[in-house]
Amino acid sequence: MEGSFLETALVFLVAAVVCVPLAKKLGMGSVLGYLLAGILIGPFVLGFVGSEGHDIMHVAEFGVVMMLFLIGLELDPKEFWKMRRVVFGMGFIQMGVTTVILGGICYFALGFSHPMSLAASLALSMSSTAIVLQTLKEKGLMHSTGGQSSFAVLLFQDISVIPILAILPLLAGPQAHASLDSHSLLDGFAGWAQTAIVIGAVGGILLFGKYIVVPFLRLISKIRLREMFTASALLLVIVVAYVMQLVGLSPALGTFMAGVVLANSEFKHELESDLDPFKGLLLGLFFIAVGATINFSLIARQPMIISGVVLSVVGIKMITLYVAGKIFGLKSDQNILFSILLSQVGEFAFVLLTFSRQLDVINAYYTDLLMACTAISMTLTPLFVLVNEKLIDPYFGVKTKSDSKQREADPINEQHRVILAGFGHFGSTIGRFLRANGIESTILDHDSDRVDLLRKMGFKVYYGDATRLDLLRAAGAENAKMLIAAIDSPQINAELISTVRKHFPHLEIMARARNRFDAYELIDMGVHNIYRETLYTSVHMAIDVLRKMGFRGYTAMRKGLDFIRYDEAALEKLAVYRHDMEEYVVNVREQIEMQEKLLTEDLHSNLTAEDHAWDSEPMRAGTATNHQ
Amino acid sequence: MTKKVLILFAHPLYEKSRVHTALVRAIPRIPEVTFHDLYEFYPDFNINIEHEQQLLLQHDIIIWQHPFYWYSVPPMLKQWIDMVLEYGWAYGRGGTKLQDKWVMNVLSAGGPYEAYAADARNRFTVREFLAPLEQTVRLCHMHFLPPFVVHGTHKITTDLIDNQAHRYRNLIEHLVAGTALLDDYQGMEYINQNTKTVTDGR
């Protein structure tokens, strides 16, 4: 059924909104829900989507592209270095052994040519980053050993797509050269030249990210328009993807590299939170498209061949993974999870197979067949996970829960107990003072120049709008003890405080207030630790005025401290009174009214009355006996 | 009839004091006992006179717990005495608000008991050094109890500290119970004097 954009969008969204919550309710996870939605609306069941499924696939592949950008962003080089043994060891075993076994079968049993066997087996050895990460995230298994190993192997696969894409043109031989797109700049180059261009493009991205993107984002962030930053983030991903496509490379890889380059910049978390919703939706679309493009007629014609291929590929991958897991000492329950999670053929297979067909390395019949197998294997994974969860895992005394907790302890230790939002003149004084006394704080600030400087000075700084929930979470609000709200703008400060009170009620809030009126707002919000800029400084100045007028230093100091104590008590008292005068809309009137009330209050208090400490005057005045 | 005890605690470096940490821990957490940490409450030395006077009125027995610095109380406690015990309130004309309350010192001293004697290094006994405080209490129409003294704090063993903490707890409980009589303490040098551990707490 061909339809307008709105109709297509309607079909996809309805399918997703119906199927995904249903699948989640049944404990199947969102990926399976999306895939089922795709199958349901696809040409073989309801037939809402026909040939345009393929077009949508192209749009949806952009979700994979974005996911890889975000994975790249997550990839802290330090973390990566810690994982290097697992990434390269486990990853190499998985890719290498799977490719050799599958390639051997293709070559010896099925009689494929050398290049065809290699291309097919490389494509089939890939697993699906999208499915696995989504599943891990949903089940909260990201930090279990099985989850970490899965991430490591996926990382190796993602990285190895670069050389594979570089090698494929060489497999095609000198006579055949094709590329992903008709307008590719690579057309007409020899195989070796294409390889050189691929390597050059990767290097180009590294330079582009470091010397163009970061300064550009700094410029954008100075404009302080959130949607501009979101637009720039999207633009960045699209530009990289487009350029990569132009030179005939995988956009996914290009953005992955761009992500890695930006992982260490101050914009990491801002980019992450800006792109995350796009990624989620597009990935969902991608899974629906996968479901919708499964060629059921091909399967119906050759059910035995297809199911045979799927089962043997998945089986071989599982066994290889299990052996790799054993070598790296995974416990049985974790190893089974790991083997099941990575057993499918992933979305990169689509990319590699398409590329191989264009290069004439694999013919159309086999690419269609293998693509169908890929899609089927992807639908199998969530089912396997479900079976594992319900039937197999219970036999192993389920250690995943406690295991994941132990693993999570590491990052918690790195987080500070104090979060300091706003590092302007006010916040920086607090931060410096705390640091001088050995209390490190996690700083949130939205001035990129300042963030840069602070990072150089070794502070732990997150760049971004502190009122955003995801940023607060990234800064460790869940485990912190205290939040210092020291943002310059009282409105944003108040917004931050209400967000924190709602989502992290355990955090003790220390709030900066510009003046008495900000303080009233904060009292109404239930904040107790309020620090008015205009109180302490002006009183300290007034103390010095008293001294210059002839008061002794200690007396002036005592008067000043008493005044602060009195004024803070009066603040609480007048905060209640303030609610009685809501009819005064005009702010100036309100201020004068308050000022008047304040001055009257001063008259009634014994503020000017002397206490008798160290004062013998009352004694001399009294007629009682002299004691001292 | 139970009595209410107010402990006015003054220690500028409490976090490093083994003896006072143990003593404070031994204080029973009951409604009849109020623990008031002056250095924590008034880091700026700006004592709230009204608040302190209210506290005094609400209690029957006042304990000044402090280290024995330069044969006297730490400056915060002297500041408290200077500011809170006002003329016309605590003493002098009409100053009878504190009449008949009991006051005692709970103090720790670095030197051993023997070092506090006419022929020893410090030339005076602890009781003699406490004379100004004793007279302050008298002037405010209150009764001065013998002090609770922990000697030799530089070298004291954990066991001895625990022993003293235990005795401190018993003392407070005894005072709260309200059965103690002023005469019981007549003529005692230290309120915790009747064991050997006090005299040679080295």
Side-chain angles (χ1 to χ4, degrees):
Chain A
M1 183 183 110
E2 297 288 325
S4 69
F5 164 73
L6 281 182
E7 279 169 22
T8 315
L10 191 72
V11 167
F12 272 80
L13 288 175
V14 167
V17 169
V18 170
C19 290
V20 175
L22 210 66
K24 280 223 73 158
K25 260 267 172 316
L26 296 174
M28 296 192 291
S30 68
V31 175
L32 198 53
Y34 282 121
L35 287 170
L36 286 178
I39 293 171
L40 210 62
I41 61 172
F44 303 98
V45 182
L46 294 178
F48 285 137
V49 207
S51 57
E52 73 264 35
H54 283 283
D55 299 335
I56 284 157
M57 189 79 153
H58 281 303
V59 178
E61 268 169 12
F62 195 62
V64 179
V65 167
M66 220 172 259
M67 182 186 69
L68 274 164
F69 180 69
L70 292 174
I71 292 174
L73 268 184
E74 275 294 326
L75 201 67
D76 189 348
K78 263 185 256 155
E79 281 295 306
F80 183 71
W81 188 244
K82 264 191 255 165
M83 290 168 65
R84 67 194 184 280
R85 205 178 69 91
V86 186
V87 172
F88 289 104
M90 243 182 185
F92 187 76
I93 291 175
Q94 188 271 333
M95 285 281 297
V97 175
T98 312
T99 306
V100 167
I101 294 176
L102 289 175
I105 292 173
C106 288
Y107 184 67
F108 294 110
L110 305 176
F112 286 16
S113 67
H114 271 119
M116 192 169 164
S117 304
L118 185 57
S121 57
L122 280 173
L124 292 177
S125 65
M126 291 283 164
S127 305
S128 171
T129 312
I131 289 183
V132 177
L133 287 194
Q134 188 82 2
T135 309
L136 284 174
K137 209 169 87 186
E138 268 177 28
K139 309 261 179 212
L141 293 170
M142 205 61 218
H143 293 283
S144 65
T145 40
Q148 290 281 311
S149 308
S150 305
F151 184 72
V153 170
L154 289 169
L155 209 58
F156 182 82
Q157 293 180 353
D158 294 345
I159 295 168
S160 58
V161 175
I162 308 174
I164 292 173
L165 283 173
I167 287 166
L168 280 180
L170 296 179
L171 289 178
Q175 76 283 4
H177 37 72
S179 57
L180 277 176
D181 259 78
S182 50
H183 52 269
S184 164
L185 296 176
L186 287 194
D187 282 346
F189 284 104
W192 64 267
Q194 294 195 16
T195 306
I197 287 173
V198 167
I199 294 164
V202 169
I205 283 185
L206 294 177
L207 296 176
F208 171 72
K210 202 161 173 74
Y211 295 106
I212 298 178
V213 174
V214 172
F216 169 71
L217 287 178
R218 240 171 241 158
L219 211 67
I220 289 292
S221 71
K222 283 208 182 98
I223 300 172
R224 283 165 214 265
L225 278 176
R226 188 187 284 185
E227 65 272 20
M228 262 306 106
F229 199 90
T230 311
S232 310
L234 268 179
L235 176 67
L236 166 69
V237 175
I238 290 173
V239 163
V240 172
Y242 181 72
V243 170
M244 290 307 267
Q245 210 164 41
L246 213 59
V247 299
L249 272 182
S250 154
L253 270 155
T255 50
F256 172 73
M257 303 287 303
V260 173
V261 174
L262 291 173
N264 250 358
S265 78
E266 65 265 38
F267 300 105
K268 176 180 173 178
H269 294 280
E270 187 81 348
L271 285 170
E272 246 169 38
S273 50
D274 272 345
L275 292 178
D276 204 60
F278 292 103
K279 179 205 77 173
L281 263 184
L282 285 170
L283 268 188
L285 196 58
F286 172 76
F287 292 130
I288 293 179
V290 169
T293 49
I294 293 177
N295 192 340
F296 281 96
S297 61
L298 185 72
I299 297 167
R301 261 183 278 127
Q302 300 165 317
M304 294 315 285
I305 294 180
I306 300 261
S307 54
V309 172
V310 170
L311 287 180
S312 43
V313 167
V314 170
I316 287 167
K317 292 188 81 164
M318 265 193 206
I319 292 164
T320 319
L321 286 161
Y322 193 84
V323 172
K326 260 265 126 27
I327 293 173
F328 278 81
L330 285 186
K331 294 213 188 75
S332 292
D333 56 333
Q334 295 290 324
N335 201 359
I336 288 176
L337 175 77
F338 167 70
S339 311
I340 286 175
L341 272 176
L342 295 173
S343 67
Q344 77 293 108
V345 183
E347 58 275 352
F348 272 125
F350 291 119
V351 177
L352 293 177
L353 289 170
T354 314
F355 194 42
S356 302
R357 173 150 73 182
Q358 284 160 352
L359 290 166
D360 258 345
V361 177
I362 307 177
N363 66 34
Y365 170 74
Y366 281 112
T367 43
D368 257 6
L369 186 134
L370 289 177
M371 277 173 145
C373 293
T374 303
I376 293 171
S377 76
M378 282 165 107
T379 46
L380 287 181
T381 309
L383 286 174
F384 284 154
V385 171
L386 195 66
V387 169
N388 175 45
E389 205 168 78
K390 295 272 182 285
L391 301 177
I392 304 173
D393 206 39
Y395 284 103
F396 288 99
V398 198
K399 290 188 214 87
T400 48
K401 281 269 158 59
S402 59
D403 206 318
S404 71
K405 273 200 188 109
Q406 276 171 8
R407 275 304 197 115
E408 268 165 340
D410 287 336
I412 292 171
N413 287 340
E414 287 168 7
Q415 275 160 356
H416 304 311
R417 282 179 306 162
V418 178
I419 298 176
L420 173 54
F423 207 76
H425 293 294
F426 194 95
S428 63
T429 310
I430 299 170
R432 282 170 45 219
F433 178 75
L434 291 180
R435 182 176 241 211
N437 289 283
I439 303 286
E440 289 292 336
S441 47
T442 299
I443 297 165
L444 306 178
D445 200 277
H446 70 321
D447 182 324
S448 63
D449 287 334
R450 199 149 63 205
V451 166
D452 217 28
L453 172 78
L454 289 173
R455 283 176 175 233
K456 277 187 201 134
M457 302 295 293
F459 283 99
K460 183 168 180 181
V461 193
Y462 287 113
Y463 167 82
D465 180 347
T467 60
R468 293 172 68 154
L469 196 55
D470 36 21
L471 191 72
L472 283 167
R473 209 159 261 154
E478 259 143 7
N479 305 308
K481 243 180 107 76
M482 181 184 289
L483 175 108
I484 300 171
I487 295 173
D488 286 328
S489 151
Q491 285 80 24
I492 297 176
N493 223 23
E495 207 180 309
L496 165 71
I497 288 165
S498 72
T499 307
V500 168
R501 282 184 62 87
K502 192 167 153 210
H503 295 280
F504 310 102
H506 70 280
L507 274 182
E508 177 156 33
I509 296 172
M510 309 287 276
R512 164 191 184 179
R514 204 178 36 180
N515 54 35
R516 178 171 294 278
F517 290 90
D518 289 346
Y520 290 141
E521 302 281 338
L522 293 172
I523 288 174
D524 287 350
M525 290 166 76
V527 179
H528 298 293
N529 306 305
I530 300 167
Y531 298 85
R532 275 176 287 157
E533 293 167 35
T534 44
L535 177 61
Y536 307 98
T537 320
S538 42
V539 169
H540 276 279
M541 181 170 167
I543 289 171
D544 284 349
V545 171
L546 278 189
R547 296 184 66 178
K548 285 188 192 298
M549 298 306 288
F551 278 65
R552 295 268 302 158
Y554 183 65
T555 304
M557 174 65 91
R558 272 183 67 214
K559 293 286 164 202
L561 294 176
D562 277 343
F563 189 86
I564 289 175
R565 181 151 64 206
Y566 156 77
D567 196 68
E568 284 185 330
L571 183 78
E572 297 268 344
K573 205 164 151 190
L574 293 180
V576 185
Y577 163 78
R578 180 173 158 268
H579 289 289
D580 302 337
M581 44 177 236
E582 263 167 285
E583 61 266 29
Y584 293 106
V585 188
V586 186
N587 200 13
V588 183
R589 282 288 301 272
E590 192 182 345
Q591 287 212 25
I592 291 168
E593 180 85 356
M594 186 58 83
Q595 209 57 273
E596 190 186 333
K597 184 85 189 157
L598 213 59
L599 291 169
T600 325
E601 187 77 25
D602 287 354
L603 282 180
H604 291 302
S605 80
N606 59 348
L607 197 65
T608 44
E610 297 281 329
D611 60 50
H612 304 303
W614 303 290
D615 186 1
S616 61
E617 214 168 293
M619 273 177 251
R620 273 181 268 130
T623 52
T625 51
N626 269 333
H627 310 281
Q628 288 180 326
Chain B
M1 180 65 182
T2 58
K3 297 211 162 162
K4 302 197 78 179
V5 175
L6 173 64
I7 297 166
L8 296 170
F9 177 64
H11 199 311
L13 202 57
Y14 177 39
E15 61 269 38
K16 291 198 175 169
S17 167
R18 288 190 304 148
V19 171
H20 284 279
T21 300
L23 291 180
V24 168
R25 266 202 208 119
I27 295 169
R29 304 279 185 275
I30 51 176
E32 287 81 7
V33 177
T34 305
F35 177 74
H36 190 34
D37 186 347
L38 292 176
Y39 272 97
E40 185 68 17
F41 210 78
Y42 298 116
D44 56 5
F45 270 62
N46 193 36
I47 288 168
N48 188 336
I49 296 170
E50 203 181 325
H51 178 75
E52 293 303 312
Q53 290 181 344
Q54 284 305 315
L55 271 180
L56 286 175
L57 292 178
Q58 289 159 12
H59 294 82
D60 308 301
I61 298 169
I62 292 119
I63 293 177
W64 288 325
Q65 184 185 335
H66 59 92
F68 202 44
Y69 287 156
W70 288 108
Y71 312 109
S72 183
V73 296
M76 174 68 84
L77 199 50
K78 180 61 165 58
Q79 179 93 345
W80 182 93
I81 290 169
D82 284 358
M83 295 181 79
V84 179
L85 302 179
E86 281 185 311
Y87 176 82
W89 187 83
Y91 73 102
R93 202 178 183 197
T96 54
K97 291 287 199 302
L98 300 176
Q99 190 143 23
D100 287 336
K101 292 186 190 298
W102 296 3
V103 182
M104 68 175 287
N105 291 70
V106 172
L107 59 92
S108 60
Y113 176 74
E114 295 76 25
Y116 290 87
D119 54 354
R121 191 155 40 101
N122 293 315
R123 296 185 53 236
F124 299 96
T125 65
V126 170
R127 280 307 295 262
E128 285 165 348
F129 282 125
L130 290 179
L133 294 172
E134 183 167 357
Q135 179 52 26
T136 300
V137 169
R138 284 281 175 80
L139 189 64
C140 296
H141 318 289
M142 297 187 285
H143 304 283
F144 190 69
L145 266 48
F148 181 108
V149 183
V150 181
H151 272 294
T153 54
H154 298 320
K155 296 176 180 170
I156 194 167
T157 64
T158 311
D159 280 350
L160 284 177
I161 293 177
D162 288 345
N163 179 276
Q164 292 292 355
H166 184 68
R167 293 161 64 86
Y168 186 33
R169 183 187 184 86
N170 287 345
L171 170 68
I172 295 171
E173 280 169 354
H174 184 57
L175 290 174
V176 166
T179 50
L181 298 171
L182 272 180
D183 289 346
D184 298 348
Y185 304 116
Q186 216 67 61
M188 277 176 127
E189 187 185 16
Y190 292 171
I191 210 163
N192 56 339
Q193 76 180 161
N194 56 346
T195 51
K196 201 171 158 286
T197 51
V198 177
T199 52
D200 63 358
R202 259 170 290 187

